[in-house]
């Protein structure tokens, strides 16, 4: 399976440095490059069971983290650990591209969710933010990536995604998503 991806909607490029399979599910590490003035950020979200460690290689990365929405600007050599259940979002408001690494621990199924998200964007099935435009796809990826929107009760989100993803799987949409991946997502 390819180690390089690009989300054509956002222009974010990703290179997989350590795959989930290579670490027995303990680590998923990527190097990502975001273009200059990449203001198109993901919704304020959090992950229930894993942390993300952001480290800037070159340029600067903007983050908003925590319930108090603390704003951070990380420069080359600086890092920030986003713990499980900590809401966050990130972008690049500088006039230069930013390259950064992200370590996801434990990896769980985040790699699969990221690959599917990029595949959906490449297939023209993404919102202007680069996330799934189809609610059924969003529910499947939300469950896979353990990704939840901040400000909406988690029980409500889990219940809704359980029902919506269940309907999607009943119609075979999860299998259709797998077909978008090189090698059909077997890795």
């Amino acid at each position: 399976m390819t180690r390089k991806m690009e989300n054509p909607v956002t222009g974010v490029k990703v290179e997989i440095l350590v795959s989930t399979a290579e670490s027995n599910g303990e680590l998923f590490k990527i190097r990502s490059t975001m273009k200059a003035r990449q203001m198109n950020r993901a919704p304020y979200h959090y992950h229930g069971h894993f942390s993300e460690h952001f480290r800037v290689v070159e340029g600067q990365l903007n983050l908003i983290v925590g319930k108090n929405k603390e704003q951070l600007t990380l420069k080359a050599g600086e890092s920030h650990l986003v713990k499980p259940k900590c809401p966050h979002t990130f972008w690049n408001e500088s006039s230069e591209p930013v390259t950064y690494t992200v370590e996801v621990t434990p990896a769980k199924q985040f790699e699969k969710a990221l690959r599917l998200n990029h595949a959906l964007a490449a297939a023209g099935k993404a919102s202007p933010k680069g996330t799934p435009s189809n609610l059924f796809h969003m529910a499947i990826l939300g469950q896979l990536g353990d990704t939840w929107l901040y400000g909406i009760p988690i029980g409500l989100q889990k219940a809704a995604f359980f029902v919506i993803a269940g309907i999607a799987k009943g119609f075979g949409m999860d299998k259709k998503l797998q077909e978008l991946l090189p090698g059909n997502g077997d890795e």
Side-chain angles (χ1 to χ4, degrees):
M1 199 179 286
T2 183
R3 294 185 81 85
K4 293 185 178 184
M5 301 175 279
E6 181 174 354
N7 186 318
V9 176
T10 63
V12 174
K13 296 178 184 177
V14 172
E15 178 184 4
I16 296 173
L17 302 176
V18 179
S19 74
T20 303
E22 292 166 342
S23 69
N24 294 320
E26 291 303 311
L27 171 69
F28 175 56
K29 184 176 181 179
I30 62 172
R31 178 175 33 241
S32 190
T33 302
M34 200 181 288
K35 64 186 176 184
R37 303 214 192 295
Q38 175 61 46
M39 301 301 285
N40 192 2
R41 56 183 140 164
Y44 207 49
H45 68 283
Y46 63 96
H47 307 287
H49 297 94
F50 62 83
S51 64
E52 290 180 292
H53 188 217
F54 293 84
R55 180 176 306 279
V56 175
V57 176
E58 188 175 344
Q60 68 180 41
L61 184 67
N62 304 91
L63 290 98
I64 297 177
V65 295
K67 294 177 182 175
N68 294 331
K69 297 190 175 183
E70 179 183 3
Q71 294 194 26
L72 305 172
T73 300
L74 302 179
K75 296 182 174 139
E78 296 179 335
S79 66
H80 186 79
L81 177 66
V82 178
K83 294 181 179 179
K85 299 182 181 163
C86 178
H88 62 283
T89 189
F90 53 97
W91 71 100
N92 178 14
E93 65 184 35
S94 78
S95 59
E96 300 293 326
V98 62
T99 300
Y100 56 98
T101 61
V102 182
E103 294 182 7
V104 176
T105 54
K108 300 219 177 230
Q109 298 220 36
F110 189 76
E111 177 179 353
K112 189 174 191 178
L114 182 69
R115 286 181 179 280
L116 286 169
N117 190 66
H118 278 74
L120 283 167
K125 298 179 180 188
S127 73
K129 290 198 175 281
T131 58
S133 56
N134 179 302
L135 184 60
F136 293 106
H137 295 158
M138 186 180 298
I140 292 169
L141 267 63
Q143 285 184 325
L144 275 176
D146 190 23
T147 302
W148 310 101
L149 298 174
Y150 181 71
I152 300 173
I154 185 69
L156 179 61
Q157 289 184 74
K158 284 187 174 185
F161 276 15
F162 178 81
V163 170
I164 295 166
I167 292 168
K169 290 173 184 174
F171 284 105
M173 293 178 87
D174 56 332
K175 290 177 177 46
K176 292 283 186 200
L177 281 175
Q178 294 296 333
E179 292 171 7
L180 294 174
L181 295 176
N184 291 330
D186 296 333
E187 290 183 24

